[in-house]
């Protein structure tokens, strides 16, 4: 039955290989179980409820992707998207986390409609590649700043805005050690490198008295503090439109890039470069975002860490189904997640940041039309502490440069629409 449903023989794989791949994928991305609740708790959300929502949203997304699209792609609340949720929508713009959840819900609904009516391809293809790469790298810079701030490696300064923190601090030293440990283990092919680093730093925090031991296994916490707590009325205000569009495009870029990377590595990509069952994969991704918002977490998206499972032999949706089962099993490890101090996740954020910065290799730096907008995004996203402001300035810069240099043919209608939307936001705010 499994062979027939998941096309195991056709894709030259076995049940055992898919199970091993599913376990490998879970180990590679399980850090989200610690990072996501910690980050969203800063927005005022209940840590335990967010942990449960993270597990359930990831499990549901993996399950739908595996059963509907039959692709070896796992999903969970996205890195960068959760930072946008907490630091931009809630802490910077002053919206409640209930409003932010509703914005995630509406962006998921738009993503679902775009996927059903196949408009997504037109939008993605209309946005220049340099801006896509710049946005990915800019989010990496933003995550790096959050990591450095969380670990107190960078601290505030009234004279110079920021400065180097106290490098004699045990917490700083342990966080830095955790960062180097991740890369050392990852270089040796340890797919659980990030998870191991977080757990070891947490053990160090226990020894230093920064956190208290509260057990490892227990019944899952209550989901009620975040379940169906969305503020739809506030999210429907006109001022929330740029936020919803930013969430939508971030998810579009993230998902598209991940699906291309995973299917290419798995040898499933078609000869014309198309992703098999793309519409089904996008429906699974957008449905997971909608469900995740209702449960109480930021945007759920496809994870590039799925390539670790593919490297272990995963070729079908059975891999994603196995990963879903492990996310459900993780529900009983909430006490462990609660013990993890914030600086224990700094290494994970820095690791993800460096991976995202690799997209800069696709930018032609000798072309001013590409180099300047990407540079604007890279500089402004972390310095304004706002993903949306960085994206907006990048689109405006790109459109103006094409106009001033007489290269309007390089722009598209969607670029100008987005540039005008962001320009109106900056003017009327």
């Amino acid at each position: 039955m499994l062979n027939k449903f998941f096309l195991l023989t056709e894709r030259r794989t076995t049940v055992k290989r898919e199970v091993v791949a599913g376990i490998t994928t879970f180990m590679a991305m399980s850090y989200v179980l610690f990072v996501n609740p910690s980050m969203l708790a800063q927005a005022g959300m209940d840590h335990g409820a967010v942990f449960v929502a993270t597990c359930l949203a990831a499990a549901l997304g993996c399950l739908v992707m595996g059963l509907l699209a039959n692709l070896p792609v796992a999903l969970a609340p996205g890195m960068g998207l959760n930072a946008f949720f907490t630091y931009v929508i809630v802490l910077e713009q002053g919206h409640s986390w209930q409003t932010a959840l509703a914005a995630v819900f509406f962006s998921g609904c738009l993503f679902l409609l775009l996927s059903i009516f196949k408009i997504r391809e037109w939008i993605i293809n209309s946005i220049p590649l340099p801006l896509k790469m710049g946005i990915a790298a800019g989010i990496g810079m933003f995550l790096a700043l959050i990591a450095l701030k969380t670990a107190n490696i960078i601290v505030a300064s009234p004279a110079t805005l920021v400065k180097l923190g106290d490098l004699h601090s045990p917490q700083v030293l342990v966080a830095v050690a955790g960062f180097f440990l991740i890369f050392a283990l990852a270089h040796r092919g340890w797919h659980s490198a990030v998870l191991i680093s977080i757990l070891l730093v947490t053990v160090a925090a226990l020894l230093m008295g920064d956190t208290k031991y509260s057990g490892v296994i227990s019944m899952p916490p209550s989901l009620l503090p975040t379940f169906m707590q969305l503020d739809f009325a506030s999210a429907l205000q006109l001022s929330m439109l740029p936020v919803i569009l930013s969430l939508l495009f971030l998810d579009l870029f993230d998902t598209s890039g991940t699906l291309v990377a995973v299917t290419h590595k798995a040898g499933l990509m078609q000869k014309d470069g198309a992703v098999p069952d793309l519409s089904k994969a996008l429906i699974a991704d957008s449905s997971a975002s909608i469900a995740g918002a209702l449960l109480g977490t930021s945007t759920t998206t496809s994870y590039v860490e799925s390539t670790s499972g593919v490297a272990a032999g995963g070729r079908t949706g059975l891999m994603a189904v196995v990963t879903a089962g492990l996310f459900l099993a993780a529900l009983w490890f909430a006490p462990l997640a609660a013990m993890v101090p914030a600086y224990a996740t700094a290494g994970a954020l820095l690791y993800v940041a460096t991976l995202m910065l690799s997209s800069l290799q696709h930018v032609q730096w000798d072309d001013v039309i590409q180099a300047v907008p990407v540079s604007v995004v890279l500089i402004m996203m972390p310095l304004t502490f706002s993903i949306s402001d960085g994206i907006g300035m990048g689109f405006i810069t790109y459109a103006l440069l094409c106009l001033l240099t007489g290269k309007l043919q390089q722009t598209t209608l969607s670029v100008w629409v987005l540039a005008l939307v962001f320009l109106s936001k900056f003017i009327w705010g």
Side-chain angles (χ1 to χ4, degrees):
M1 182 184 67
L2 291 175
N3 182 43
K4 183 178 180 180
F5 186 85
F6 291 106
L7 308 176
L8 299 178
T9 301
E10 182 178 323
R11 297 187 182 180
R12 289 178 283 186
T13 184
T14 63
V15 173
K16 180 181 178 181
R17 194 175 298 167
E18 295 295 307
V19 170
V20 171
I23 295 172
T24 302
T25 301
F26 174 78
M27 295 299 290
M29 62 187 290
S30 57
Y31 65 87
V32 70
L33 297 175
F34 307 104
V35 178
N36 199 55
S38 176
M39 190 173 292
L40 267 59
Q42 298 178 53
M45 301 180 70
D46 182 84
H47 188 284
V50 174
F51 174 80
V52 174
T54 301
C55 292
L56 294 178
L60 179 63
C62 293
L63 195 63
V64 176
M65 181 66 77
L67 297 178
L68 180 64
N70 193 25
L71 290 175
V73 179
L75 294 86
M79 303 301 297
L81 288 158
N82 50 12
F84 181 76
F85 182 101
T86 296
Y87 296 105
V88 178
I89 304 177
V90 178
L91 297 182
E92 180 198 343
Q93 298 183 359
H95 299 290
S96 68
W97 58 264
Q98 292 90 341
T99 301
L101 283 179
V104 172
F105 175 85
F106 286 128
S107 69
C109 291
L110 286 174
F111 194 177
L112 181 60
L113 290 174
L114 294 178
S115 302
I116 292 174
F117 293 105
K118 299 185 178 181
I119 305 174
R120 183 216 66 98
E121 289 85 352
W122 174 78
I123 294 176
I124 289 295
N125 293 332
S126 298
I127 296 175
L129 179 64
L131 279 179
K132 297 176 188 175
M133 299 298 101
I135 289 170
I139 294 174
M141 294 286 285
F142 185 70
L143 288 176
L145 180 59
I146 292 172
L148 296 172
K149 176 177 176 290
T150 300
N152 286 323
I153 298 172
I154 297 262
V155 296
S157 169
T160 59
L161 192 62
V162 293
K163 66 178 182 179
L164 192 63
D166 181 11
L167 296 184
H168 297 94
S169 166
Q171 290 80 10
V172 171
L173 294 175
V174 170
V176 172
F179 169 69
F180 283 105
L181 178 62
I182 291 173
F183 280 94
L185 295 177
H187 177 71
R188 287 167 170 77
W190 290 50
H191 299 300
S192 55
V194 177
L195 176 62
I196 291 173
S197 172
I198 290 175
L199 294 179
L200 288 179
V201 173
T202 301
V203 170
L206 283 168
L207 296 175
M208 293 187 297
D210 288 342
T211 187
K212 293 183 179 180
Y213 180 77
S214 55
V216 176
I217 300 176
S218 72
M219 290 297 293
S222 173
L223 184 64
L224 292 180
T226 60
F227 181 64
M228 297 294 291
Q229 296 297 313
L230 299 80
D231 186 351
F232 291 110
S234 297
L236 287 173
Q237 295 178 5
L238 187 60
S239 61
M240 288 297 294
L241 180 60
V243 173
I244 295 172
L245 290 177
S246 295
L247 285 168
L248 172 64
F249 282 100
L250 287 173
D251 195 13
L252 277 171
F253 299 147
D254 200 348
T255 301
S256 300
T258 298
L259 290 175
V260 169
V262 175
T263 54
H264 180 267
K265 189 173 183 64
L268 300 176
M269 184 177 288
Q270 298 171 2
K271 292 182 179 180
D272 59 356
V275 175
D277 291 316
L278 176 60
S279 60
K280 293 180 179 179
L282 295 173
I283 289 172
D285 194 289
S286 53
S287 300
S289 288
I290 295 171
L294 296 175
L295 291 167
T297 186
S298 52
T299 307
T300 303
T301 189
S302 302
Y303 260 59
V304 75
E305 282 83 354
S306 302
T307 54
S308 64
V310 170
R315 294 294 182 272
T316 74
L318 181 56
M319 183 192 94
V321 172
V322 172
T323 305
L326 292 173
F327 271 114
L328 288 177
L331 283 168
W332 279 264
F333 290 87
L336 180 60
M339 283 190 293
V340 176
Y343 61 81
T345 65
L349 291 176
L350 278 173
Y351 175 69
V352 174
T354 56
L355 296 181
M356 297 181 78
L357 284 169
S358 65
S359 62
L360 292 176
Q361 64 184 306
H362 301 292
V363 178
Q364 296 180 19
W365 292 101
D366 56 348
D367 183 355
V368 68
I369 302 296
Q370 295 192 26
V372 175
V374 170
S375 298
V376 168
V377 173
L378 286 174
I379 295 168
M380 298 308 295
M381 199 175 286
L383 292 184
T384 60
F385 214 70
S386 172
I387 293 176
S388 61
D389 286 349
I391 292 174
M393 292 178 184
F395 271 100
I396 293 170
T397 303
Y398 185 86
L400 286 177
L401 278 177
C402 288
L403 176 64
L404 296 174
T405 58
K407 296 183 178 180
L408 282 174
Q409 69 275 9
Q410 293 190 24
T411 61
T412 59
L413 177 61
S414 59
V415 168
W416 281 101
V417 169
L418 289 171
L420 291 173
V421 168
F422 282 113
L423 184 62
S424 63
K425 171 183 178 291
F426 292 136
I427 295 174
W428 292 288

